[in-house]
Amino acid sequence: MERGRHAGLLLKAALVAVIAAGCALFQEVDSYLEGGGLSQDVGQHRWWNGFGPVLSHEDFPADCSMCHLGNDWHELVEDFEFDHGLETGHELAGAHTQAACLRCHNDRGPVRVFEARGCTGCHEDVHQGSLGASCSDCHGETDWSEASMLGRSAIDRLHRRSGFELVGAHALTSCDRCHAGSSRGLFGDAPKSCEACHVGDLQAAKAPDHISLGWVQRCDECHQPLTWQEAEL
Amino acid sequence: MRETRSSGGATMRIVLGISLGAWAFVGLARGQAEEAPDVVLEEDPGPGLERVALDLRVLGTGTAPSELVQAGLAPAGELLRIDRGARHGVALADPVELLPRGGAVHRGTVAFVDERTALVRLFGDGVRLEPGVPGVVRVLPAPSNSPEPGGVGTSPGDEALNPGDADGADERPEWQRLRDSWTPDMPLLARVTAERPEQRAFAWGGRWYTRAGLATNLDADRGSASSRTGAVLWAENPFGAGGELDLDVEYDLQTTFVPSEDGHDSGHSRLRFDRASYRLGGTRFERDRHTFGRFLPELPELGALDGYEWSRRLEGGDRIGASVGYRVQSDLDAATGNDLAFSGFYRWVADERELLTASAGVQKSYHNGDRDRDLLVLRFDHRPGFGLDAGEAWDLHGSVLLDKYSDEDFREDGLGLTRALLETGRSWDAPGGKQDHLRLSYRHLELPEQLFGELDPLALASLVREDEDRVQAEGGRWLAEDRRLNGAVSVWTAGGLEDDSGGDLEVGLELLDLAAYGPGQGPGTGEVSVFTSGGRYQATNGLLASYGRRWDTVGWTALYEAKQTDFDGFDADNDDLLQHRLRVTADLAPSLGEWYLAGHADLLVFGDDGGLTLGVYFGRSF
């Protein structure tokens, strides 16, 4: 039975992988045949070789003083404004509207490459790859911190989909009681078995003595997660 | 400087009003133009006035507001969006010419105007123009201060680039920079000087935040309180060498209180540095990158390190690198100093656009001098749907963590799959500029056998045998501009001691145009959904409803959730649990990106017990 379940899951996973890889490959081949595929991007090649400013100024007004102040390129005029959406067709949202230009347009890589990498092109993946690439499932653009990004329903959904419905006392427990690295964005290390977190309670359970009786697993066969104080028989 | 016909401060409401009136006024002329597309619709601007040609670019497509369409005041269907709007002087019925490559000229008229963009109806059917296609829109000149032909910054579009310069231009100091030492004997097309990182001005910024939370049972005699205050700082070129300094520090306080007969209150406080690093190089002028301190390596799956990393960008965009340092544990303390790790990685890119990449990394670690973990990381990404040229395409992301075990470990020899993650998804254009989406994912997680952490033997015996597989599909489809159908389904199995399997299903409707109740502007928004989940020992069914309203930067939401959980193996009196949750949240961001305030209150009732949680968050960027 167990083996069958695993086989079924692996089969589904393989199916997902094959479909996705097939779609991706088809697109790549299609793009290649159209001439826009795996070719060198001349503009980026020039960029990496240090030609010109970080951001192309070719379409900018010829009067440098409209934006630059003084006799170097470091300082911008006090009333400098640049409508990113209007001028580039790429509207900035949330905190990005206040970001300094050089945070995205800098010498570490063409901004189009950063964007191609998704959010992690600029924001390091503090989850260390454990949560995948869909940052927008949890994060908004106004503020990056978890307090503003995850509604209660989103937290409940994530737990439901992981097979650990937040019921009773668990629905009131702070994240770091189970996810030790939660304040650092690390959530992947929380086992679902009761004894993994409640091992101290298990060792303290002497009436009856759970360990001597061999009651060290599957606590939820007898207990419900109802109260703060102790599990209820 | 001239003024545009609609000032830059015009609101959307005003523009809509103007649009309604003007549309009715020119409706007849527009109808004639549709019947005779070869006629360039260019009404007589009046004696002494000539239209001004304003350069434009196509942004994409869009549709006019449904209320205008329903009133017959705007055309239905997909229109072309251009990057000029009321603030540039564009008005309804202004003639537009679009000039795609190949020499064709497509003509049309402005059908809807908002402040910064406009929608254009083209004469003729079946014309599809890509974003970026240039063109001109011929606008009426302003009532006074007509533009000087050929003058820099005198067209409406130039003015839009420099709001506010009408008052301040003359006060700026005179431009003094020489033309990069250019002399008449030098070629006119001399190479443009590029600033190097070490030549840039010192700059710094970051944000600080604090959050506090309280959770207590209904009797208020048991619960916990916590606060987290931290700062994230960055500094560009702090020492004149072109490097970057990163600092991420947080101070945590937590206390748990219990009734006195049960034991003692407990608590902790800790100061933790998540990042404290200096990075040098890694630019287009310096292919080698050196990072010192506490940092996350370029291949983040290798985990945070206290040490040093070197990496190099190779020709074509591939990257190679190596690092040495102590692993930072993933617990609250971020403990370090026990696990010395040596790592290396290689990142392959299909081309310099980096839309298709694959990476491999290895890490060998020693725990207090003893051989510990041999980790192999594989990762690939294919993201044709990202970037400014994004189209409708499937993206693909996968990563695998493999641990190598030997005779000395509790497990059999060979590679063990510690974590596998595969995701794919894509989006489709939907009405109103929105997007439908679908995402599929598979995840395998197994806790590796490691020495670090010095786990209790009983806990270790439980942990090392935990593993889980999960397959999930999630999507959303806009049924109309104001409502979206969301759905998710997943199945999972948990092996080892858990030996469980189950799944969940959720279907919900997101509504953006609800009747207005309570404080706020515009319509209410909300969500209703039903869900079910089940495993070997319990099953849960529930529903959720939420409603909220906003002003521009302030919003509130009320949420109610009820779920019934049935437990297997208990007697009839104690085999179910009905849980209610009522939650109210509010957020305030008066200046987007500068500071942010949010709070919530959450009442939970289950069985004869329940609890209350309160939380507040304040953050400020600088």
Side-chain angles (χ1 to χ4, degrees):
Chain A
M1 188 67 182
E2 178 71 13
R3 186 179 293 271
R5 277 204 306 270
H6 276 285
L9 265 173
L10 288 174
L11 189 63
K12 288 166 189 155
L15 187 62
V16 171
V18 168
I19 292 173
C23 292
L25 188 63
F26 176 79
Q27 285 166 354
E28 204 58 59
V29 170
D30 192 44
S31 174
Y32 180 79
L33 290 176
E34 289 178 2
L38 302 179
S39 59
Q40 289 271 323
D41 185 309
V42 174
Q44 289 197 7
H45 190 69
R46 288 176 55 80
W47 190 94
W48 278 110
N49 283 284
F51 289 97
V54 164
L55 187 66
S56 171
H57 282 46
E58 288 178 4
D59 298 333
F60 288 4
D63 181 3
C64 308
S65 65
M66 290 174 67
C67 300
H68 292 277
L69 189 65
N71 60 358
D72 63 35
W73 302 114
H74 295 158
E75 201 172 349
L76 296 177
V77 295
E78 283 187 9
D79 56 355
F80 174 79
E81 274 193 30
F82 185 82
D83 190 329
H84 206 276
L86 180 67
E87 302 303 332
T88 70
H90 186 67
E91 194 79 46
L92 297 179
H96 292 127
T97 61
Q98 298 297 319
C101 308
L102 280 169
R103 295 299 290 168
C104 303
H105 302 276
N106 54 48
D107 297 289
R108 291 187 283 277
V111 73
R112 294 170 75 90
V113 169
F114 290 147
E115 190 176 30
R117 293 179 189 171
C119 305
T120 55
C122 297
H123 300 272
E124 69 174 13
D125 181 5
V126 298
H127 310 298
Q128 300 179 10
S130 61
L131 299 183
S134 304
C135 309
S136 58
D137 285 354
C138 301
H139 293 275
E141 293 187 83
T142 301
D143 193 279
W144 200 242
S145 296
E146 72 275 19
S148 59
M149 71 194 185
L150 272 184
R152 185 73 230 181
S153 54
I155 294 175
D156 281 351
R157 280 191 180 108
L158 290 171
H159 283 85
R160 183 176 307 132
R161 291 169 191 173
S162 69
F164 194 92
E165 190 82 47
L166 288 179
V167 177
H170 288 135
L172 286 163
T173 305
S174 63
C175 306
D176 58 12
R177 298 298 296 272
C178 305
H179 304 276
S182 61
S183 59
R184 301 167 51 211
L186 301 173
F187 297 94
D189 56 352
K192 289 191 292 185
S193 60
C194 308
E195 61 273 18
C197 292
H198 294 279
V199 63
D201 301 323
L202 175 60
Q203 290 170 326
K206 298 299 184 187
D209 188 335
H210 283 46
I211 292 180
S212 63
L213 289 169
W215 298 349
V216 295
Q217 299 162 15
R218 294 299 341 179
C219 311
D220 50 355
E221 289 182 345
C222 303
H223 295 263
Q224 287 186 9
L226 287 181
T227 73
W228 288 83
Q229 190 167 1
E230 60 188 11
E232 183 175 292
L233 276 172
Chain B
M1 301 296 282
R2 68 186 289 273
E3 294 175 354
T4 53
R5 198 166 0 157
S6 295
S7 72
T11 63
M12 182 71 181
R13 195 180 311 162
I14 294 171
V15 173
L16 269 175
I18 295 171
S19 301
L20 279 165
W23 181 269
F25 179 72
V26 300
L28 181 59
R30 211 163 146 0
Q32 291 169 345
E34 286 168 7
E35 291 170 6
D38 290 333
V39 176
V40 176
L41 193 151
E42 195 162 347
E43 65 195 62
D44 181 7
L49 288 177
E50 290 185 8
R51 286 180 176 268
V52 176
L54 186 62
D55 291 339
L56 63 86
R57 293 273 179 176
V58 172
L59 290 178
T61 58
T63 55
S66 55
E67 59 268 27
L68 288 182
V69 174
Q70 287 167 5
L73 300 174
E78 197 172 73
L79 303 171
L80 209 60
R81 187 176 295 279
I82 62 173
D83 65 351
R84 301 296 168 185
R87 68 183 296 188
H88 309 103
V90 176
L92 277 173
D94 281 349
V96 175
E97 293 176 9
L98 297 164
L99 313 165
R101 286 184 181 176
V105 178
H106 298 287
R107 294 188 172 88
T109 55
V110 173
F112 175 75
V113 185
D114 62 25
E115 187 175 350
R116 294 179 174 180
T117 67
L119 294 173
V120 174
R121 184 174 194 184
L122 292 176
F123 301 139
D125 296 328
V127 178
R128 291 187 63 85
L129 297 174
E130 298 297 321
V133 167
V136 293
V137 53
R138 300 188 188 282
V139 302
L140 289 171
S144 58
N145 298 330
S146 297
E148 300 168 13
V152 172
T154 54
S155 74
D158 290 334
E159 185 181 43
L161 288 174
N162 302 281
D165 56 3
D167 299 330
D170 295 335
E171 298 170 5
R172 291 180 196 149
E174 187 178 350
W175 181 252
Q176 298 171 353
R177 184 177 175 85
L178 300 176
R179 292 179 180 270
D180 295 331
S181 305
W182 182 83
T183 57
D185 58 328
M186 295 172 69
L188 284 172
L189 296 177
R191 174 177 164 173
V192 176
T193 302
E195 288 229 315
R196 300 177 66 91
E198 58 269 27
Q199 295 171 322
R200 295 196 187 282
F202 167 71
W204 67 285
R207 65 185 174 89
W208 69 266
Y209 60 90
T210 185
R211 58 168 294 192
L214 171 70
T216 173
N217 62 350
L218 292 179
D219 296 331
D221 63 349
R222 186 182 296 272
S224 65
S226 65
S227 75
R228 290 169 51 192
T229 301
V232 178
L233 299 169
W234 57 264
E236 299 262 12
N237 195 20
F239 309 119
E244 182 179 358
L245 199 61
D246 284 302
L247 186 67
D248 184 351
V249 59
E250 183 175 286
Y251 181 67
D252 293 353
L253 273 171
Q254 179 151 8
T255 181
T256 302
F257 51 95
V258 296
S260 56
E261 64 269 20
D262 291 346
H264 301 289
D265 294 352
S266 62
H268 67 252
S269 64
R270 54 172 62 85
L271 179 69
R272 191 186 69 241
F273 285 85
D274 290 333
R275 298 288 176 274
S277 65
Y278 181 63
R279 185 171 62 195
L280 200 56
T283 68
R284 56 182 179 157
F285 303 106
E286 176 53 63
R287 301 294 173 94
D288 289 323
R289 185 175 116 168
H290 308 272
T291 309
F292 313 85
R294 173 167 291 190
F295 59 89
L296 199 59
E298 281 200 49
L299 190 59
E301 284 83 355
L302 294 172
L305 283 180
D306 283 337
Y308 164 73
E309 182 183 56
W310 160 83
S311 65
R312 169 175 290 179
R313 183 180 187 276
L314 306 175
E315 286 298 325
D318 292 1
R319 295 190 72 88
I320 189 171
S323 62
V324 59
Y326 285 100
R327 283 188 60 130
V328 181
Q329 288 194 29
S330 59
D331 57 14
L332 283 174
D333 295 316
T336 184
N338 293 322
D339 301 286
L340 183 62
F342 299 89
S343 313
F345 79 92
Y346 189 90
R347 183 169 185 265
W348 169 84
V349 299
D351 64 12
E352 291 191 326
R353 297 173 305 165
E354 300 193 13
L355 299 180
L356 176 62
T357 66
S359 306
V362 294
Q363 184 178 71
K364 187 169 185 60
S365 57
Y366 297 86
H367 180 71
N368 293 333
D370 297 328
R371 185 192 69 81
D372 188 18
R373 191 176 188 189
D374 297 326
L375 175 66
L376 172 64
V377 177
L378 303 172
R379 171 180 174 144
F380 60 91
D381 291 276
H382 183 52
R383 296 168 178 266
F386 284 78
L388 292 176
D389 298 327
E392 294 183 352
W394 289 89
D395 62 77
L396 183 64
H397 166 79
S399 66
V400 173
L401 268 62
L402 296 159
D403 276 284
K404 181 178 177 298
Y405 296 95
S406 68
D407 286 339
E408 302 168 33
D409 301 314
F410 294 109
R411 300 171 51 141
E412 63 265 23
D413 289 359
L415 289 174
L417 182 60
T418 299
R419 189 176 82 203
L421 179 62
L422 180 65
E423 291 179 313
T424 184
R426 66 165 294 178
S427 57
W428 293 265
D429 287 338
K434 301 180 185 302
Q435 290 201 312
D436 300 332
H437 73 277
L438 174 65
R439 294 205 70 78
L440 310 172
S441 66
Y442 165 72
R443 181 185 299 266
H444 171 88
L445 179 66
E446 185 171 344
L447 293 173
E449 177 193 326
Q450 296 170 83
L451 293 176
F452 59 75
E454 309 293 3
L455 294 170
D456 180 283
L458 182 60
L460 181 62
S462 301
L463 291 176
V464 296
R465 294 172 62 186
E466 288 269 3
D467 64 77
E468 179 188 289
D469 293 272
R470 178 155 37 115
V471 177
Q472 179 181 312
E474 183 266 333
R477 179 174 178 77
W478 289 95
L479 305 175
E481 284 188 30
D482 60 352
R483 72 189 74 111
R484 179 167 69 170
L485 180 66
N486 296 316
V489 59
S490 67
V491 294
W492 52 266
T493 66
L497 295 176
E498 194 68 14
D499 190 20
D500 199 355
S501 64
D504 73 272
L505 172 69
E506 179 169 0
V507 179
L509 195 59
E510 191 177 336
L511 301 161
L512 304 183
D513 193 17
L514 294 174
Y517 298 102
Q521 289 178 332
T525 60
E527 175 191 5
V528 289
S529 66
V530 293
F531 55 85
T532 182
S533 66
R536 184 172 165 186
Y537 297 99
Q538 68 180 54
T540 299
N541 300 294
L543 60 88
L544 178 148
S546 70
Y547 178 85
R549 291 190 75 196
R550 296 197 69 82
W551 287 272
D552 280 347
T553 57
V554 184
W556 61 269
T557 304
L559 176 148
Y560 171 73
E561 180 193 70
K563 55 186 175 186
Q564 169 83 23
T565 301
D566 295 310
F567 301 95
D568 288 345
F570 291 86
D571 61 51
D573 295 333
N574 201 22
D575 67 347
D576 62 352
L577 179 68
L578 178 60
Q579 177 173 295
H580 304 270
R581 180 191 293 279
L582 181 62
R583 182 180 177 91
V584 178
T585 63
D587 62 88
L588 172 65
S591 178
L592 280 178
E594 290 186 11
W595 65 274
Y596 184 87
L597 176 66
H600 75 264
D602 200 323
L603 175 65
L604 192 72
V605 177
F606 50 89
D608 299 327
D609 210 337
L612 178 71
T613 61
L614 301 170
V616 64
Y617 172 87
F618 180 75
R620 181 175 176 79
S621 298
F622 48 84

